[in-house]
């Protein structure tokens, strides 16, 4: 037994046709109105353009105000203590951008292989950053530094390799290892000054 063809195509065709007729009718009405009332048409067009422009300006100003408010909040290191790891990465990326770094990209995730944020420094070096959002009682140790050192340059092509934390680093072996491997460590104290002044720690861009 033959089955009848579905009527969906016909329905869609009718819908398109009716839509086209509606658009055509609207165009005819607009043209007729313009011909009958040219001065009113100019006035209404002016009002429409002015209204659209005003809305765009207000939207732009609102975005600028929100960015300024966010930047002001970002100046306080204490805001990082309630952040997740991903939020801390975004926070530090904004700090890099505000400090003159270019092409700032947040690449954190399960497959980032240690590169949470990448950027180009003002001195044109490629920057690779690992962000460690920690509690003040949980310090970043030498094991994390070793893992990062193994991927920063060889895998990610980093020329300026940096580990940044809102906490502290383990004193002793970890700090010495970072010096030996050329890994820049930025702890809470340096990060607080950096965030407040929007300038990197002294010597960061001349190493």
């Amino acid at each position: 037994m033959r089955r009848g063809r579905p009527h969906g195509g016909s329905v869609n065709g009718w819908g398109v046709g009716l839509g086209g007729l509606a658009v055509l009718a609207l165009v005819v009405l607009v043209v007729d109105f313009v011909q009958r009332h040219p001065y009113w048409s100019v006035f209404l067009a002016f009002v429409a353009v002015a209204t659209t422009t005003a809305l765009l300006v207000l939207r732009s100003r609102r975005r600028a105000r929100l960015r300024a408010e966010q930047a002001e909040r970002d100046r306080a290191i204490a805001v990082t203590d309630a952040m997740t790891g991903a939020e801390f990465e975004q926070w530090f990326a904004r700090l890099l951008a505000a400090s003159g770094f270019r092409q700032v990209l947040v690449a954190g995730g399960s497959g980032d292989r240690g590169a949470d944020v990448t950027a180009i420094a003002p001195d044109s070096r490629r920057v690779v950053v690992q962000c460690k959002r920690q509690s003040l009682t949980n310090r970043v140790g030498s094991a994390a530094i070793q893992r990062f050192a193994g991927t920063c340059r060889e895998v990610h092509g980093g020329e300026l390799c940096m580990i940044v934390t809102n906490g502290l680093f383990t004193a002793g072996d970890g700090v010495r290892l970072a010096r030996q491997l050329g890994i820049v460590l930025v702890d809470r104290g340096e990060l607080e000054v950096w965030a407040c002044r929007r300038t990197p720690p002294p010597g960061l861009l001349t190493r």
Side-chain angles (χ1 to χ4, degrees):
M1 181 177 178
R2 294 183 62 183
R3 295 182 179 179
R5 291 186 178 181
H7 298 286
S10 299
V11 173
N12 290 337
W14 277 105
V16 173
L18 290 174
L21 289 175
V23 171
L24 180 60
L26 180 61
V27 170
V28 171
L29 289 174
V30 170
V31 171
D32 181 67
F33 181 85
V34 170
Q35 290 176 341
R36 290 174 179 272
H37 309 284
Y39 295 108
W40 273 107
S41 299
V42 172
F43 174 74
L44 291 175
F46 173 79
V47 170
V49 171
T51 301
T52 301
T53 301
L55 290 174
L56 290 174
V57 169
L58 289 174
R59 184 179 181 184
S60 177
R61 288 179 178 176
R62 181 175 181 275
R63 287 181 173 178
R65 187 181 73 253
L66 291 176
R67 285 195 299 268
E69 292 173 353
Q70 180 68 65
E72 191 60 31
R73 287 194 298 270
D74 285 347
R75 288 180 182 274
I77 190 67
V79 301
T80 64
D81 295 334
M83 291 180 177
T84 64
E87 289 170 341
F88 183 58
E89 293 166 7
Q90 294 287 344
W91 178 86
F92 187 68
R94 292 194 298 271
L95 178 57
L96 285 177
S99 305
F101 289 72
R102 298 174 286 110
Q103 299 179 30
V104 181
L105 176 66
V106 177
S110 58
D112 60 23
R113 303 185 71 179
D116 295 323
V117 181
T118 60
I120 301 299
D123 59 11
S124 298
R125 283 184 295 172
R126 175 171 170 77
V127 182
V128 178
V129 184
Q130 185 170 90
C131 298
K132 293 291 187 181
R133 215 293 301 174
Q134 305 277 30
S135 65
L136 295 180
T137 58
N138 187 15
R139 301 192 174 207
V140 181
S142 59
I145 296 172
Q146 288 177 342
R147 288 193 297 270
F148 182 60
T151 60
C152 177
R153 293 187 174 86
E154 296 300 322
V155 175
H156 303 295
E159 297 172 288
L160 175 55
C161 299
M162 191 186 320
I163 300 179
V164 176
T165 180
N166 68 323
L168 300 171
F169 292 94
T170 301
D173 290 343
V175 176
R176 286 194 295 270
L177 180 64
R179 291 197 187 110
Q180 293 172 1
L181 299 176
I183 305 296
V184 178
L185 303 181
V186 180
D187 64 10
R188 186 182 183 89
E190 289 184 308
L191 193 57
E192 181 176 16
V193 176
W194 187 348
C196 181
R197 297 179 180 177
R198 292 292 192 266
T199 54
L204 178 68
L205 300 180
T206 58
R207 297 181 185 183

